[in-house]
Coordinates of all heavy atoms in Angstrom, one line a residue:
M285 N 38.8 7.4 3.3 CA 40.2 7.0 3.1 C 40.4 5.6 3.8 O 40.1 5.4 4.9 CB 41.1 8.1 3.7 CG 42.6 7.8 3.5 SD 43.7 9.0 4.2 CE 43.2 10.5 3.4
T286 N 41.0 4.7 3.1 CA 41.3 3.4 3.6 C 42.5 3.4 4.6 O 43.3 4.3 4.6 CB 41.5 2.4 2.5 OG1 42.8 2.7 1.9 CG2 40.4 2.3 1.5
T287 N 42.6 2.3 5.3 CA 43.7 2.2 6.3 C 45.0 2.1 5.5 O 46.0 2.7 6.0 CB 43.5 0.9 7.1 OG1 42.2 0.9 7.7 CG2 44.5 0.8 8.2
E288 N 45.0 1.5 4.4 CA 46.3 1.4 3.6 C 46.7 2.8 3.2 O 47.9 3.1 3.3 CB 46.0 0.5 2.4 CG 45.7 -0.9 2.6 CD 46.9 -1.6 3.2 OE1 48.1 -1.3 2.9 OE2 46.7 -2.5 4.1
Q289 N 45.8 3.6 2.8 CA 46.1 5.0 2.4 C 46.6 5.8 3.6 O 47.5 6.6 3.5 CB 44.9 5.7 1.7 CG 44.5 5.1 0.4 CD 43.2 5.6 -0.1 OE1 42.4 6.0 0.7 NE2 43.0 5.5 -1.4
Q290 N 46.0 5.6 4.7 CA 46.4 6.3 5.9 C 47.8 5.9 6.3 O 48.6 6.8 6.7 CB 45.4 6.0 7.1 CG 44.0 6.6 6.9 CD 43.1 6.1 8.0 OE1 43.4 5.4 8.9 NE2 41.9 6.6 7.9
I291 N 48.1 4.6 6.2 CA 49.4 4.2 6.6 C 50.5 4.8 5.6 O 51.6 5.2 6.1 CB 49.5 2.6 6.5 CG1 48.7 2.1 7.7 CG2 51.0 2.1 6.6 CD1 48.5 0.6 7.7
Q292 N 50.2 4.9 4.3 CA 51.1 5.4 3.4 C 51.4 6.9 3.7 O 52.5 7.4 3.6 CB 50.6 5.3 1.9 CG 50.5 3.9 1.5 CD 51.9 3.2 1.5 OE1 52.9 3.8 1.2 NE2 51.9 1.9 1.9
I293 N 50.4 7.6 4.1 CA 50.6 9.0 4.5 C 51.4 9.2 5.7 O 52.3 10.0 5.8 CB 49.2 9.7 4.6 CG1 48.5 9.8 3.3 CG2 49.3 11.1 5.3 CD1 47.1 10.3 3.4
K294 N 51.1 8.3 6.7 CA 51.8 8.4 8.0 C 53.3 8.0 7.9 O 54.1 8.4 8.7 CB 51.1 7.6 9.1 CG 49.8 8.2 9.4 CD 49.0 7.3 10.4 CE 47.7 7.8 10.7 NZ 46.9 7.0 11.6
K295 N 53.6 7.1 6.9 CA 55.0 6.6 6.7 C 55.9 7.7 6.3 O 57.1 7.6 6.4 CB 55.0 5.5 5.7 CG 54.6 4.2 6.2 CD 54.9 3.1 5.2 CE 54.6 1.7 5.8 NZ 54.9 0.6 4.8
K296 N 55.4 8.9 5.9 CA 56.3 10.0 5.6 C 56.9 10.6 6.8 O 57.9 11.3 6.7 CB 55.5 11.1 4.8 CG 55.0 10.6 3.5 CD 54.2 11.6 2.8 CE 53.7 11.1 1.4 NZ 52.8 12.0 0.7
N297 N 56.3 10.4 8.0 CA 56.9 10.8 9.3 C 58.0 9.7 9.6 O 57.7 8.6 9.9 CB 55.8 10.9 10.3 CG 56.4 11.2 11.7 OD1 57.6 11.3 11.9 ND2 55.4 11.5 12.6
P298 N 59.3 10.1 9.7 CA 60.3 9.2 10.0 C 60.2 8.4 11.3 O 60.5 7.2 11.4 CB 61.6 10.0 10.0 CG 61.3 11.4 9.6 CD 59.8 11.5 9.5
A299 N 59.8 9.1 12.4 CA 59.6 8.5 13.7 C 58.5 7.4 13.6 O 58.6 6.3 14.1 CB 59.3 9.5 14.8
W300 N 57.4 7.8 13.0 CA 56.2 6.9 12.8 C 56.7 5.6 12.0 O 56.4 4.5 12.4 CB 55.1 7.6 12.2 CG 53.8 6.8 12.3 CD1 52.8 7.1 13.2 CD2 53.3 5.8 11.5 NE1 51.8 6.2 13.0 CE2 52.0 5.4 12.0 CE3 53.8 5.1 10.4 CZ2 51.3 4.4 11.4 CZ3 53.0 4.1 9.8 CH2 51.8 3.8 10.3
S301 N 57.3 5.9 10.9 CA 57.7 4.8 10.0 C 58.7 3.8 10.7 O 58.6 2.6 10.5 CB 58.4 5.4 8.8 OG 58.8 4.4 7.9
K302 N 59.6 4.4 11.5 CA 60.6 3.6 12.2 C 59.9 2.7 13.2 O 60.2 1.5 13.2 CB 61.7 4.4 12.8 CG 62.7 3.7 13.6 CD 63.7 4.6 14.3 CE 64.6 3.8 15.1 NZ 65.3 4.6 16.2
R303 N 59.0 3.2 14.0 CA 58.3 2.4 15.0 C 57.4 1.4 14.3 O 57.3 0.3 14.8 CB 57.5 3.3 15.9 CG 56.8 2.6 17.0 CD 57.8 1.9 17.9 NE 57.1 1.2 18.9 CZ 57.4 0.0 19.4 NH1 58.6 -0.6 19.0 NH2 56.7 -0.6 20.3
F304 N 56.8 1.7 13.2 CA 55.9 0.8 12.5 C 56.7 -0.4 12.0 O 56.3 -1.6 12.1 CB 55.2 1.5 11.3 CG 54.2 0.6 10.6 CD1 53.0 0.4 11.2 CD2 54.5 0.1 9.4 CE1 52.1 -0.4 10.5 CE2 53.6 -0.7 8.7 CZ 52.3 -1.0 9.3
K305 N 57.9 -0.2 11.5 CA 58.8 -1.2 11.0 C 59.3 -2.1 12.1 O 59.4 -3.4 12.0 CB 60.0 -0.7 10.2 CG 59.7 -0.1 8.9 CD 60.8 0.4 8.2 CE 60.4 1.1 6.9 NZ 61.5 1.7 6.2
E306 N 59.6 -1.5 13.3 CA 59.9 -2.3 14.5 C 58.8 -3.2 14.9 O 59.1 -4.4 15.2 CB 60.3 -1.3 15.6 CG 61.6 -0.6 15.5 CD 61.8 0.5 16.5 OE1 60.9 0.7 17.4 OE2 62.8 1.1 16.5
L307 N 57.6 -2.7 14.9 CA 56.5 -3.6 15.3 C 56.2 -4.6 14.3 O 55.8 -5.8 14.6 CB 55.2 -2.7 15.5 CG 55.2 -1.9 16.7 CD1 53.9 -1.0 16.7 CD2 55.1 -2.8 18.0
Q308 N 56.4 -4.3 13.0 CA 56.2 -5.4 11.9 C 57.2 -6.5 12.2 O 56.9 -7.7 12.0 CB 56.5 -4.8 10.6 CG 55.3 -4.1 10.0 CD 55.5 -3.5 8.6 OE1 56.6 -3.1 8.3 NE2 54.5 -3.6 7.8
M309 N 58.4 -6.2 12.6 CA 59.4 -7.2 12.9 C 59.0 -8.0 14.1 O 59.2 -9.2 14.2 CB 60.8 -6.6 13.0 CG 61.4 -6.0 11.8 SD 61.5 -7.2 10.4 CE 62.7 -8.3 11.0
A310 N 58.5 -7.3 15.1 CA 58.1 -8.0 16.4 C 56.9 -8.9 16.2 O 56.8 -10.0 16.8 CB 57.8 -6.9 17.4
Y311 N 56.0 -8.5 15.3 CA 54.8 -9.4 15.0 C 54.9 -10.1 13.7 O 53.9 -10.5 13.1 CB 53.6 -8.5 15.0 CG 53.2 -8.0 16.4 CD1 53.7 -6.7 16.9 CD2 52.4 -8.7 17.3 CE1 53.3 -6.3 18.2 CE2 52.1 -8.3 18.5 CZ 52.6 -7.1 19.0 OH 52.2 -6.6 20.2
M312 N 56.1 -10.4 13.3 CA 56.3 -11.1 12.0 C 55.7 -12.4 11.9 O 55.2 -12.8 10.9 CB 57.8 -11.2 11.8 CG 58.2 -11.9 10.5 SD 60.0 -11.8 10.2 CE 60.7 -12.2 11.8
N313 N 55.7 -13.2 13.1 CA 55.1 -14.5 13.1 C 53.6 -14.6 13.2 O 53.0 -15.7 13.2 CB 55.8 -15.3 14.2 CG 57.2 -15.5 14.0 OD1 57.7 -15.6 12.8 ND2 58.0 -15.6 15.0
F314 N 53.0 -13.4 13.4 CA 51.5 -13.4 13.5 C 50.9 -13.5 12.1 O 51.5 -13.0 11.1 CB 51.0 -12.1 14.2 CG 51.2 -12.1 15.6 CD1 52.4 -12.3 16.3 CD2 50.0 -12.0 16.4 CE1 52.5 -12.3 17.7 CE2 50.1 -12.1 17.8 CZ 51.3 -12.2 18.4
P315 N 49.7 -14.0 11.9 CA 49.1 -14.0 10.6 C 48.7 -12.6 10.1 O 48.6 -11.7 11.0 CB 47.9 -15.0 10.8 CG 47.6 -14.9 12.2 CD 48.9 -14.7 12.9
H316 N 48.5 -12.5 8.8 CA 48.1 -11.2 8.3 C 46.7 -10.8 8.8 O 46.5 -9.6 9.0 CB 48.2 -11.2 6.8 CG 47.8 -9.9 6.1 ND1 48.6 -8.8 6.2 CD2 46.7 -9.5 5.4 CE1 48.0 -7.8 5.6 NE2 46.9 -8.2 5.1
L317 N 45.8 -11.7 8.9 CA 44.5 -11.4 9.4 C 44.3 -12.0 10.8 O 44.6 -13.1 11.1 CB 43.4 -12.1 8.5 CG 43.4 -11.6 7.1 CD1 42.4 -12.4 6.2 CD2 43.0 -10.1 7.0
L318 N 43.9 -11.1 11.7 CA 43.8 -11.4 13.1 C 42.3 -11.5 13.6 O 41.5 -10.7 13.1 CB 44.5 -10.4 14.0 CG 45.9 -10.1 13.6 CD1 46.4 -8.9 14.4 CD2 46.8 -11.3 14.0
S319 N 42.0 -12.5 14.4 CA 40.7 -12.6 15.0 C 40.4 -11.4 16.0 O 41.3 -10.8 16.4 CB 40.5 -13.9 15.7 OG 41.3 -13.9 16.9
G320 N 39.2 -11.2 16.3 CA 38.8 -10.1 17.2 C 39.4 -10.4 18.6 O 39.9 -9.4 19.2
K321 N 39.4 -11.6 19.0 CA 40.0 -12.0 20.3 C 41.5 -11.7 20.3 O 42.0 -11.1 21.3 CB 39.8 -13.5 20.6 CG 40.2 -13.9 21.9 CD 39.9 -15.4 22.1 CE 40.4 -15.8 23.5 NZ 40.1 -17.3 23.7
R322 N 42.2 -12.0 19.3 CA 43.6 -11.7 19.2 C 43.9 -10.2 19.2 O 44.8 -9.7 19.9 CB 44.2 -12.3 18.0 CG 45.7 -12.1 17.7 CD 46.7 -12.9 18.4 NE 46.6 -14.3 18.3 CZ 47.2 -15.1 17.5 NH1 48.0 -14.7 16.6 NH2 47.1 -16.4 17.6
V323 N 43.1 -9.4 18.5 CA 43.2 -8.0 18.5 C 43.0 -7.4 19.9 O 43.7 -6.5 20.4 CB 42.2 -7.3 17.5 CG1 42.2 -5.8 17.6 CG2 42.5 -7.7 16.1
N324 N 42.0 -7.9 20.6 CA 41.7 -7.5 22.0 C 42.9 -7.8 22.9 O 43.3 -6.9 23.7 CB 40.5 -8.2 22.6 CG 39.2 -7.8 22.0 OD1 39.1 -6.8 21.2 ND2 38.1 -8.5 22.3
E325 N 43.6 -8.9 22.7 CA 44.7 -9.3 23.5 C 45.9 -8.3 23.2 O 46.6 -7.9 24.1 CB 45.1 -10.7 23.3 CG 44.1 -11.7 23.8 CD 44.4 -13.1 23.4 OE1 45.4 -13.4 22.7 OE2 43.7 -14.0 23.8
I326 N 46.2 -8.1 21.9 CA 47.3 -7.3 21.5 C 47.1 -5.8 22.0 O 48.0 -5.2 22.5 CB 47.5 -7.3 20.0 CG1 47.9 -8.7 19.5 CG2 48.5 -6.2 19.5 CD1 47.9 -8.9 18.0
L327 N 45.9 -5.3 21.8 CA 45.7 -3.9 22.2 C 45.2 -3.7 23.6 O 45.2 -2.6 24.1 CB 44.6 -3.3 21.2 CG 44.9 -3.2 19.8 CD1 43.7 -2.7 19.0 CD2 46.2 -2.4 19.5
D328 N 45.0 -4.8 24.3 CA 44.5 -4.8 25.7 C 43.2 -3.9 25.8 O 43.1 -3.0 26.6 CB 45.6 -4.2 26.6 CG 45.2 -4.5 28.1 OD1 44.5 -5.5 28.4 OD2 45.7 -3.8 29.0
I329 N 42.2 -4.3 25.0 CA 40.9 -3.6 24.9 C 39.8 -4.6 25.0 O 40.1 -5.8 24.9 CB 40.8 -2.7 23.7 CG1 40.9 -3.6 22.4 CG2 41.8 -1.6 23.6 CD1 40.6 -2.9 21.1
G330 N 38.6 -4.2 25.1 CA 37.4 -5.0 25.1 C 36.7 -5.0 23.7 O 37.1 -4.3 22.8
N331 N 35.7 -5.8 23.6 CA 34.9 -5.9 22.4 C 34.3 -4.6 22.0 O 34.3 -4.2 20.8 CB 33.8 -7.0 22.5 CG 34.4 -8.3 22.6 OD1 35.5 -8.6 22.1 ND2 33.6 -9.2 23.2
T332 N 33.7 -3.8 22.9 CA 33.1 -2.6 22.6 C 34.1 -1.6 22.1 O 33.8 -0.9 21.1 CB 32.4 -2.0 23.9 OG1 31.5 -3.0 24.4 CG2 31.6 -0.8 23.6
T333 N 35.2 -1.5 22.7 CA 36.3 -0.5 22.2 C 36.7 -0.9 20.8 O 36.9 0.0 19.9 CB 37.5 -0.5 23.2 OG1 37.0 -0.2 24.5 CG2 38.5 0.5 22.7
R334 N 36.9 -2.2 20.6 CA 37.3 -2.7 19.2 C 36.2 -2.3 18.2 O 36.5 -1.9 17.1 CB 37.5 -4.2 19.2 CG 38.1 -4.7 17.9 CD 38.2 -6.2 17.9 NE 36.9 -6.8 17.8 CZ 36.4 -7.8 18.5 NH1 37.1 -8.2 19.6 NH2 35.2 -8.3 18.3
F335 N 35.0 -2.5 18.6 CA 33.9 -2.1 17.7 C 33.9 -0.6 17.3 O 33.8 -0.2 16.1 CB 32.5 -2.4 18.3 CG 31.3 -1.9 17.6 CD1 30.9 -2.6 16.5 CD2 30.7 -0.8 18.0 CE1 29.8 -2.1 15.7 CE2 29.6 -0.3 17.3 CZ 29.1 -0.9 16.2
Y336 N 34.1 0.2 18.3 CA 34.2 1.7 18.0 C 35.4 2.1 17.2 O 35.4 3.0 16.4 CB 34.1 2.5 19.3 CG 32.7 2.5 19.9 CD1 32.4 2.0 21.1 CD2 31.7 3.1 19.1 CE1 31.1 2.0 21.6 CE2 30.4 3.1 19.6 CZ 30.1 2.6 20.8 OH 28.8 2.6 21.3
L337 N 36.5 1.4 17.5 CA 37.8 1.7 16.7 C 37.5 1.3 15.2 O 38.0 2.1 14.3 CB 39.0 0.9 17.3 CG 39.5 1.5 18.6 CD1 40.5 0.5 19.1 CD2 40.1 2.8 18.4
H338 N 36.8 0.2 15.0 CA 36.5 -0.1 13.6 C 35.5 0.9 13.0 O 35.7 1.3 11.9 CB 35.9 -1.5 13.5 CG 35.3 -1.9 12.2 ND1 36.0 -2.0 11.1 CD2 34.0 -2.0 11.9 CE1 35.2 -2.2 10.1 NE2 34.0 -2.3 10.5
R339 N 34.6 1.3 13.8 CA 33.6 2.2 13.3 C 34.2 3.6 12.9 O 33.7 4.2 12.0 CB 32.5 2.4 14.4 CG 31.3 3.1 13.9 CD 30.3 3.1 15.1 NE 28.9 3.1 14.6 CZ 27.9 3.2 15.3 NH1 28.0 3.3 16.6 NH2 26.7 3.2 14.8
E340 N 35.2 4.0 13.7 CA 35.9 5.2 13.4 C 36.9 5.1 12.3 O 37.5 6.1 11.8 CB 36.7 5.7 14.7 CG 35.8 6.1 15.8 CD 36.6 6.4 17.1 OE1 37.8 6.3 17.1 OE2 36.0 6.6 18.1
G341 N 37.1 3.9 11.8 CA 38.0 3.7 10.6 C 39.5 3.5 11.0 O 40.4 3.5 10.2
K342 N 39.7 3.2 12.3 CA 41.1 3.0 12.8 C 41.5 1.6 12.7 O 42.7 1.3 12.7 CB 41.2 3.5 14.2 CG 41.0 5.0 14.3 CD 41.1 5.5 15.7 CE 40.9 7.1 15.7 NZ 41.1 7.6 17.0
L343 N 40.6 0.7 12.6 CA 40.9 -0.8 12.4 C 40.2 -1.2 11.1 O 39.0 -0.9 10.9 CB 40.3 -1.6 13.6 CG 41.1 -1.6 14.9 CD1 40.4 -2.4 15.9 CD2 42.5 -2.1 14.7
Q344 N 40.9 -2.0 10.3 CA 40.3 -2.4 9.1 C 39.9 -3.9 9.2 O 40.6 -4.8 9.6 CB 41.4 -2.4 8.0 CG 40.9 -2.8 6.6 CD 41.9 -2.7 5.5 OE1 43.1 -2.6 5.8 NE2 41.5 -2.8 4.3
K345 N 38.6 -4.1 8.9 CA 38.0 -5.4 9.1 C 37.7 -6.0 7.7 O 37.3 -5.3 6.8 CB 36.7 -5.3 9.8 CG 36.0 -6.6 10.1 CD 34.6 -6.5 10.6 CE 34.5 -6.2 12.1 NZ 33.1 -6.2 12.6
I346 N 38.0 -7.3 7.5 CA 37.8 -7.9 6.2 C 36.8 -9.1 6.4 O 37.1 -9.9 7.3 CB 39.1 -8.4 5.6 CG1 40.0 -7.3 5.3 CG2 38.8 -9.3 4.4 CD1 41.3 -7.6 4.7
K347 N 35.7 -9.1 5.7 CA 34.8 -10.2 5.8 C 35.3 -11.4 4.9 O 35.7 -11.2 3.7 CB 33.4 -9.7 5.3 CG 32.3 -10.5 5.7 CD 31.3 -9.7 6.4 CE 30.0 -10.4 6.6 NZ 29.6 -10.5 8.0
L348 N 35.2 -12.6 5.4 CA 35.8 -13.7 4.7 C 34.8 -14.5 3.9 O 35.1 -15.6 3.5 CB 36.5 -14.6 5.8 CG 37.6 -14.0 6.5 CD1 38.2 -15.0 7.5 CD2 38.7 -13.5 5.6
G349 N 33.6 -14.0 3.7 CA 32.6 -14.7 2.9 C 31.5 -13.7 2.5 O 31.5 -12.6 2.9
D350 N 30.6 -14.2 1.7 CA 29.5 -13.4 1.2 C 28.3 -13.4 2.1 O 27.4 -12.5 2.0 CB 29.0 -13.9 -0.2 CG 30.2 -13.7 -1.2 OD1 31.0 -12.8 -1.0 OD2 30.2 -14.5 -2.2
K351 N 28.1 -14.3 3.0 CA 27.0 -14.4 3.8 C 27.0 -13.5 5.0 O 28.1 -13.0 5.4 CB 26.8 -15.9 4.4 CG 26.7 -16.9 3.3 CD 26.5 -18.3 3.9 CE 26.4 -19.3 2.8 NZ 26.3 -20.7 3.3
V352 N 25.9 -13.2 5.6 CA 25.8 -12.3 6.7 C 26.6 -12.9 7.9 O 27.2 -12.1 8.7 CB 24.3 -12.0 7.1 CG1 24.3 -11.2 8.4 CG2 23.6 -11.3 6.0
Q353 N 26.5 -14.2 8.1 CA 27.1 -14.8 9.2 C 28.6 -15.2 9.0 O 29.2 -15.8 9.8 CB 26.4 -16.1 9.5 CG 24.9 -15.9 10.0 CD 24.9 -15.2 11.3 OE1 25.7 -15.4 12.1 NE2 23.8 -14.5 11.5
S354 N 29.2 -14.7 7.9 CA 30.6 -15.0 7.6 C 31.5 -14.4 8.6 O 31.2 -13.3 9.1 CB 30.9 -14.6 6.2 OG 30.2 -15.2 5.2
Q355 N 32.6 -15.1 8.8 CA 33.6 -14.6 9.8 C 34.3 -13.4 9.3 O 34.5 -13.2 8.1 CB 34.6 -15.7 10.1 CG 35.5 -15.4 11.2 CD 36.4 -16.6 11.4 OE1 36.6 -17.5 10.6 NE2 37.1 -16.7 12.6
A356 N 34.7 -12.5 10.2 CA 35.4 -11.3 9.8 C 36.7 -11.2 10.6 O 36.7 -11.7 11.8 CB 34.6 -10.0 10.1
K357 N 37.7 -10.7 10.0 CA 39.0 -10.6 10.7 C 39.6 -9.2 10.5 O 39.2 -8.5 9.5 CB 40.0 -11.7 10.1 CG 39.5 -13.1 10.3 CD 40.5 -13.9 11.0 CE 40.0 -15.3 11.2 NZ 40.9 -16.1 11.9
Y358 N 40.5 -8.8 11.3 CA 41.2 -7.5 11.2 C 42.6 -7.7 10.7 O 43.3 -8.6 10.9 CB 41.2 -6.9 12.6 CG 39.9 -6.7 13.2 CD1 39.2 -7.7 13.9 CD2 39.2 -5.4 13.1 CE1 37.9 -7.4 14.5 CE2 38.0 -5.2 13.6 CZ 37.4 -6.2 14.3 OH 36.1 -6.0 14.8
T359 N 43.0 -6.7 9.9 CA 44.3 -6.7 9.3 C 45.4 -6.4 10.4 O 45.2 -5.5 11.2 CB 44.5 -5.8 8.1 OG1 44.3 -4.4 8.6 CG2 43.5 -6.1 7.0
K360 N 46.5 -7.1 10.3 CA 47.6 -6.8 11.2 C 48.2 -5.4 11.1 O 48.5 -4.8 12.1 CB 48.7 -7.9 11.0 CG 49.9 -7.7 11.9 CD 50.9 -8.9 11.8 CE 51.4 -9.0 10.5 NZ 52.5 -10.0 10.4
D361 N 48.3 -4.9 9.8 CA 48.8 -3.6 9.6 C 48.0 -2.5 10.3 O 48.5 -1.6 10.8 CB 48.9 -3.3 8.1 CG 50.1 -4.1 7.5 OD1 51.0 -4.6 8.2 OD2 50.1 -4.1 6.2
S362 N 46.6 -2.7 10.3 CA 45.8 -1.6 10.9 C 46.0 -1.7 12.4 O 46.0 -0.6 13.1 CB 44.3 -1.8 10.5 OG 43.8 -3.0 11.1
V363 N 46.2 -2.9 13.0 CA 46.4 -3.0 14.4 C 47.8 -2.3 14.8 O 47.9 -1.6 15.7 CB 46.4 -4.5 14.9 CG1 46.8 -4.6 16.3 CG2 45.0 -5.0 14.7
L364 N 48.8 -2.6 14.0 CA 50.1 -2.1 14.3 C 50.1 -0.5 14.1 O 50.7 0.2 14.9 CB 51.2 -2.7 13.4 CG 51.4 -4.2 13.5 CD1 52.4 -4.7 12.6 CD2 51.7 -4.6 15.0
A365 N 49.4 -0.1 13.1 CA 49.3 1.4 12.9 C 48.6 2.1 14.0 O 49.0 3.2 14.5 CB 48.6 1.7 11.6
L366 N 47.6 1.4 14.6 CA 46.9 2.0 15.8 C 47.8 2.0 17.0 O 47.9 3.0 17.7 CB 45.7 1.1 16.1 CG 44.8 1.7 17.1 CD1 44.3 3.1 16.8 CD2 43.6 0.7 17.3
I367 N 48.7 1.0 17.2 CA 49.6 1.0 18.3 C 50.6 2.2 18.1 O 50.9 2.9 19.1 CB 50.4 -0.3 18.3 CG1 49.4 -1.5 18.7 CG2 51.5 -0.3 19.3 CD1 50.0 -2.9 18.6
V368 N 51.1 2.3 16.9 CA 52.1 3.4 16.7 C 51.4 4.8 16.9 O 52.0 5.7 17.6 CB 52.7 3.4 15.3 CG1 53.6 4.5 15.0 CG2 53.4 2.1 15.1
D369 N 50.2 5.0 16.5 CA 49.5 6.2 16.7 C 49.3 6.5 18.2 O 49.5 7.6 18.6 CB 48.1 6.2 16.0 CG 48.2 6.3 14.5 OD1 49.2 6.7 14.0 OD2 47.2 6.0 13.9
W370 N 48.9 5.5 18.9 CA 48.8 5.6 20.4 C 50.1 6.0 21.0 O 50.1 6.9 21.9 CB 48.2 4.4 21.0 CG 46.8 4.2 20.8 CD1 45.9 5.0 20.2 CD2 46.0 3.0 21.1 NE1 44.6 4.4 20.1 CE2 44.7 3.2 20.7 CE3 46.3 1.8 21.6 CZ2 43.7 2.3 20.8 CZ3 45.3 0.8 21.8 CH2 44.0 1.1 21.4
E371 N 51.2 5.4 20.6 CA 52.5 5.7 21.2 C 53.0 7.1 20.9 O 53.5 7.8 21.7 CB 53.5 4.7 20.7 CG 53.3 3.3 21.3 CD 54.3 2.3 20.8 OE1 55.1 2.6 19.9 OE2 54.3 1.1 21.3
I372 N 52.8 7.5 19.6 CA 53.2 8.8 19.2 C 52.4 9.9 19.9 O 53.0 10.9 20.3 CB 53.1 9.0 17.6 CG1 54.0 7.9 16.9 CG2 53.4 10.4 17.2 CD1 55.5 8.3 16.8
N373 N 51.1 9.7 20.0 CA 50.2 10.7 20.6 C 50.4 10.8 22.1 O 50.1 11.8 22.7 CB 48.8 10.4 20.2 CG 48.5 10.7 18.8 OD1 49.2 11.5 18.1 ND2 47.5 10.0 18.2
A374 N 50.9 9.7 22.7 CA 51.1 9.7 24.2 C 52.3 10.5 24.6 O 52.4 10.9 25.7 CB 51.3 8.2 24.6
K375 N 53.2 10.7 23.7 CA 54.5 11.5 24.0 C 54.2 12.9 24.1 O 53.4 13.6 23.6 CB 55.6 11.2 23.0 CG 56.0 9.7 23.1 CD 57.1 9.5 22.1 CE 57.6 8.0 22.2 NZ 58.6 7.7 21.3

């Protein structure tokens, strides 16, 4: 299941949807694709944790070229969805 599909399912929860919209407004000026360093700063995590979150399917990574060495970026929506999940589960 892709991150987009997961977000659509979670949006049915009113509390989750409300918080996700609040975060979208707060991060409105950020680009749609975020570098790994920016994701680390937003989530306050390290590279290893970011790697495992991607591996578990909680962060969506997009490769920006066809080559092996091509740069990859993370989608802002997947980062915001992860923040909301952490906040909801912490309560």
Side-chain angles (χ1 to χ4, degrees):
M285 184 180 302
T286 66
T287 306
E288 296 292 326
Q289 292 170 336
Q290 291 174 357
I291 290 172
Q292 292 303 320
I293 291 170
K294 292 175 184 177
K295 278 188 175 180
K296 294 177 183 176
N297 178 349
W300 195 95
S301 181
K302 179 183 177 197
R303 183 62 183 141
F304 186 75
K305 287 179 184 177
E306 290 171 357
L307 286 174
Q308 280 182 322
M309 293 303 292
Y311 289 93
M312 179 173 46
N313 294 330
F314 280 63
H316 181 67
L317 297 175
L318 304 169
S319 68
K321 183 177 179 181
R322 175 83 52 99
V323 172
N324 288 354
E325 291 171 0
I326 292 171
L327 298 176
D328 194 26
I329 59 175
N331 291 334
T332 305
T333 304
R334 187 183 75 232
F335 171 78
Y336 284 116
L337 287 170
H338 167 67
R339 194 177 208 184
E340 292 172 3
K342 296 180 180 181
L343 284 176
Q344 182 179 14
K345 186 191 277 187
I346 296 178
K347 197 123 169 126
L348 300 178
D350 297 331
K351 298 180 181 178
V352 174
Q353 296 293 331
S354 296
Q355 188 177 20
K357 300 233 178 183
Y358 297 87
T359 62
K360 179 171 62 174
D361 285 345
S362 69
V363 173
L364 298 180
L366 186 58
I367 292 171
V368 176
D369 287 343
W370 285 351
E371 289 177 355
I372 298 277
N373 291 334
K375 292 182 180 178

